[in-house]
Each structure stands twice: as structure tokens, then as C-alpha cells.
Amino acid sequence: MSLITEMGQVYKRLVEEGLKDRDALYIAYIQTHSNPDRVDALLGSREFRRQMSFFIGRAVELVELVIREHFRPLRDRLALHNTIANCLDPVHLLKLASTDPGTHASHLEFRRHFEARRNLGIAMQIYAIEKYDPEYWVAKDLEHIEALCWERVFIPSVSQTVWFATQVRDADQPTGTIRLAFDKRRINRQTKVIRAQMGQLKVDFMMCRAVQMKKNRRFLIYVIDRRKRLFSTLLKLERGRTLRDRRGWKYVVVGVQTGNRVRTATRADAEEFLKFTQEKLWVAPLFHEEDTSPPNPDSDKHYWDRKIIGRLHRADNGRVVCGSTEQLVTTIRDHLNDKFTRTKRNHEMYRHLQVLGQIGPLWFPNTRDHLKALKSVRLPGYAVDWHSGEVKNSLWNWWLSQL
């Protein structure tokens, strides 16, 4: 927001000197943002305005996504000002963001001023990320890694549907017994007798890939795409974490097959599979690196996985681009616990709490904690105390209802 203030001042001076709006916006951005590679200098004002308009639209979508998926009970309070919701012109948004409404303006004008700054700030964050590591590159690299996995790890053209039944408890406890079978009729026969003793059962299937470990022994693996979308990228940056996992994937070791029989995989099996992938998959152009990141303070103490981090080397116009990558390995039991438990171990609840702690006070402030250096920015009047027990309990109960 401080940069937006500077941009507004430079823009106003350039317009007064006779420059067109589009050119003044472009030069104001270049003059106020550090740019050691001079990537922006080759873009031109027309393309810069077009890209910024697109990213402002993405910013509007992200704000609406946060309200809809994380803060829906508060949606009427947090709804965007109509002007800002429909403003995709970076020139107009910069004018709104850099014009002080004055101390005697209405609360709606305060909100419009703040939201113009917020949305333009988010758009410029997205622009910076996309400039150096665009989503297209991330997706293309993961497409390459997927091909390497089929070459080096999985049995080509083989898939196996694995049905599972698991006990889902009402209390905040891990899932109970897990049973596996290769068809639904068998799993139904296995669970019919014990259903009364086991209580509520969840019956579903996973489409798995097969890995030949030994002559008569296969691991059945369910693969989850973990490509970091833009909002997850922004959230991670706001949490002060490094972007080591934009190119991410997760292996769930579901079962161990011997002949026509299958048993539930254990953590020891997952450790064995992790070692297997490190030997078979993590060779050029995938390179393993030591994990020097600090422990995640938001993780639940019962959460369990194993990971390998590194980089994928890819040729690009005579240079080598090294995209950061992360592979996770876990078991079906841990995966189902992360999916069904009603504590912060549940991945959905874990994400909700991160958004509540980081994005709520930042994008919808109720205090001046993030605005101390910006005297011209008034509080937008959302009147949501993100630290109050009432707000936390209301959101927690709604999150639980959505599981």
C-alpha cells in the first residue's frame, strides 16, 4: 500500500506533464518497484495495462472466494463495494486508491478507498509472482514430472480400483478400522457382519496406480495433485513461508498387494516407498535437496507425512530454469484422518484457521495493526473482531457443518 501511494504521486505528476493515462501508469509502476532484471521494461504500457486488468479481476475473484469459502456467515459485512467489485481498469483503481477521501467522508467512501488499495495490492502481488514463476510454467513442469513418474515408478498402463471401508467416529478421534477390497461387493460382505459393532462406516474407492516392489508384491498408490494455486501461494507468503511447494504432488500408499490379496498400508510401507521414489524418481532432471525450512507451526501434532524437496531442471531459451518441487508420501489411514477428523488435523479446518489468522485481519481489518504507516487509510468498517471468541466459534461451527 505504501508503493501504491508512491505510484499515485508519480502518476499524477506524469499526467500533469502531459502523458497519457496508460503510459503514466506504466512508468509510475517501473519507477516505484525494484526491478533488477528489467523484465517490465520490455513489456510496454499497453500490455502492462492489459495484464494488470486481468490480475485485478483475479484479485476480485480471490476476495470473493475467501468470503464464500471461509467467511460465509460474515458475507454481508465483508461484501465488496459495488464500485470496486466492477472496477477492472488499473488506471481508475489507482486513482481511487491514491485519492484521500478525507476525514469527513462517509463510511462507504472509506471502504471504497481501502478496497481499491487492497485489490490493487493483491493484483500487483499476483503480477510479481506470475512475472518470475507463472502458473503456466508450474503446470507444465508438473506435466513433465507426471511423465517421469510413469517411466520410473509406476507400472505403465496399469490401474487398480481399491474399495475401502473405514469407521468414522462422532467424537474428535481418528478413523477406526480400515478394510480394503478390489470390488464393492466384497467390501460390502466384509462390513455387513461387523457394521453394528463398527458404527458409522464410510465406503468409497480410490483409483490407484501400481508399483512393483518385489517379485510378488505391489504397492497401490493414490496420487493427489498439489499444484499451488494463486490464493494458496499468496497465503503462504503472508504466513512468512517460502514457496518450495508450488510444484507439488502427494502419494497416498493405500495397500500392499500380494497375489489377489491386499492389506492396508502402514507407515513403514510409506517409508519404504519414499526410499524407492528417492532412488528411482529423484535423478536428473529431478534433483533432491536438503530440507532447511523450519517446522510448520500450524501443523497438528498428529499429522504425519514424509517429504522430498528439490528442483526440476528445465531448458528455456538457452538457460536452465530450476523450479522448486515437493513430493509428499503418507498412508491411507493418515489421509483419511486428515479428511474426516473434526479437529484442526482435518486439512479443511487447518486451511480455514490459516485464513482466519492471516487473511482476515489483513484483507478485512478491524484495527490499524497493518495500517500504522498509512495515515490516509481509514478503517473500512467491517466491524469483525477476528480475535474474539464469538467470531471464532461462529466460523468454527459453520466450517464443521461444511465437512
Side-chain angles (χ1 to χ4, degrees):
M1 287 191 174
S2 297
L3 287 171
I4 289 172
T5 300
E6 294 179 34
M7 276 185 66
Q9 294 169 349
V10 175
Y11 168 83
K12 183 178 179 180
R13 174 175 54 81
L14 292 173
V15 169
E16 289 174 349
E17 292 175 359
L19 263 69
K20 294 181 180 179
D21 284 348
R22 185 182 69 204
D23 297 330
L25 171 75
Y26 179 51
I27 294 173
Y29 179 88
I30 290 177
Q31 289 186 4
T32 55
H33 286 70
S34 59
N35 186 31
D37 295 330
R38 309 309 299 168
V39 175
D40 299 308
L42 303 175
L43 199 61
S45 61
R46 183 186 299 274
E47 178 62 17
F48 177 78
R49 184 173 185 175
R50 187 196 68 79
Q51 289 193 20
M52 284 302 300
S53 176
F54 175 73
F55 293 138
I56 290 168
R58 297 292 298 272
V60 171
E61 292 171 359
L62 291 180
V63 174
E64 291 175 340
L65 176 145
V66 166
I67 296 172
R68 181 176 64 252
E69 295 192 1
H70 300 283
F71 302 144
R72 197 182 306 174
L74 306 169
R75 61 185 178 276
D76 291 337
R77 294 191 187 189
L78 306 181
L80 278 77
H81 189 291
N82 286 41
T83 300
I84 304 304
N86 296 300
C87 181
L88 302 184
D89 181 359
V91 171
H92 186 200
L93 201 60
L94 179 61
K95 290 179 181 178
L96 292 172
S98 57
T99 303
D100 185 351
T103 57
H104 300 293
S106 69
H107 291 296
L108 271 176
E109 289 174 303
F110 289 163
R111 179 172 291 200
R112 183 181 64 187
H113 181 231
F114 171 79
E115 291 185 353
R117 283 176 168 256
R118 178 192 64 195
N119 285 19
L120 186 57
I122 295 171
M124 290 196 299
Q125 283 180 299
I126 298 172
Y127 174 80
I129 293 167
E130 284 293 290
K131 180 167 59 176
Y132 293 111
D133 193 19
E135 281 191 298
Y136 171 80
W137 278 8
V138 175
K140 195 70 177 175
D141 287 350
L142 283 170
E143 186 180 357
H144 186 195
I145 292 170
E146 168 77 352
L148 290 175
C149 293
W150 280 109
E151 291 176 9
R152 300 175 176 180
V153 177
F154 302 116
I155 303 173
S157 304
V158 172
S159 64
Q160 178 67 64
T161 301
V162 180
W163 285 87
F164 67 87
T166 184
Q167 180 184 11
V168 180
R169 295 168 173 162
D170 293 331
D172 295 338
Q173 299 177 11
T175 56
T177 303
I178 299 175
R179 295 181 179 260
L180 304 180
F182 289 139
D183 63 75
K184 189 175 183 180
R185 288 177 298 177
R186 179 173 294 182
I187 205 74
N188 285 339
R189 285 198 301 269
Q190 289 183 10
T191 59
K192 185 176 181 180
V193 177
I194 60 173
R195 186 176 293 269
Q197 292 89 351
M198 292 183 69
Q200 182 183 359
L201 290 179
K202 173 69 175 178
V203 177
D204 208 338
F205 71 87
M206 294 178 174
M207 188 70 73
C208 296
R209 309 176 189 197
V211 181
Q212 195 72 46
M213 300 298 293
K214 293 182 179 179
K215 185 176 181 180
N216 296 317
R217 185 162 160 264
R218 289 181 176 182
F219 279 4
L220 303 177
I221 309 295
Y222 178 65
V223 183
I224 298 174
D225 171 58
R226 295 185 68 254
R227 173 168 64 88
K228 266 291 189 276
R229 271 53 170 185
L230 270 177
F231 177 67
S232 296
T233 300
L234 290 173
L235 176 59
K236 192 151 191 177
L237 290 174
E238 297 298 355
R239 292 171 55 220
R241 307 287 290 183
T242 57
L243 292 180
R244 299 302 305 270
D245 59 347
R246 290 202 80 196
R247 296 157 178 80
W249 66 100
K250 186 174 186 177
Y251 294 136
V252 179
V253 186
V254 175
V256 179
Q257 180 184 359
T258 306
N260 292 324
R261 301 183 64 182
V262 59
R263 66 166 175 83
T264 305
T266 65
R267 288 181 178 179
D269 296 322
E271 296 278 12
E272 183 182 350
F273 180 69
L274 180 79
K275 183 179 179 181
F276 179 86
T277 60
Q278 190 163 357
E279 294 173 354
K280 299 293 184 180
L281 178 61
W282 286 87
V283 292
L286 274 173
F287 295 91
H288 170 245
E289 295 180 351
E290 182 183 359
D291 184 7
T292 58
S293 59
N296 184 352
D298 299 322
S299 287
D300 186 90
K301 63 181 180 180
H302 298 295
Y303 177 81
W304 188 91
D305 65 25
R306 291 291 181 263
K307 68 180 176 181
I308 300 175
I309 65 168
R311 296 186 183 275
L312 173 72
H313 289 196
R314 169 173 48 83
D316 181 74
N317 293 325
R319 60 178 180 169
V320 175
V321 177
C322 305
S324 58
T325 57
E326 181 182 88
Q327 170 194 297
L328 297 182
V329 176
T330 192
T331 68
I332 183 173
R333 180 177 297 281
D334 290 289
H335 172 70
L336 294 178
N337 283 336
D338 299 339
K339 187 175 181 179
F340 292 125
T341 52
R342 298 170 67 82
T343 68
K344 74 170 187 176
R345 179 174 182 175
N346 187 297
H347 188 74
E348 293 293 326
M349 305 301 282
Y350 162 82
R351 175 54 57 87
H352 287 316
L353 289 171
Q354 287 182 337
V355 175
L356 173 65
Q358 301 295 330
I359 299 300
L362 185 67
W363 287 8
F364 311 97
N366 190 50
T367 68
R368 295 195 61 81
D369 290 348
H370 296 292
L371 304 172
K372 292 176 182 177
L374 300 162
K375 296 181 180 179
S376 66
V377 182
R378 278 77 183 182
L379 288 175
Y382 298 115
V384 177
D385 182 356
W386 299 102
H387 304 291
S388 75
E390 181 183 359
V391 169
K392 290 180 178 179
N393 289 336
S394 172
L395 290 174
W396 181 268
N397 291 331
W398 182 74
W399 296 336
L400 285 176
S401 73
Q402 303 303 299
L403 292 178

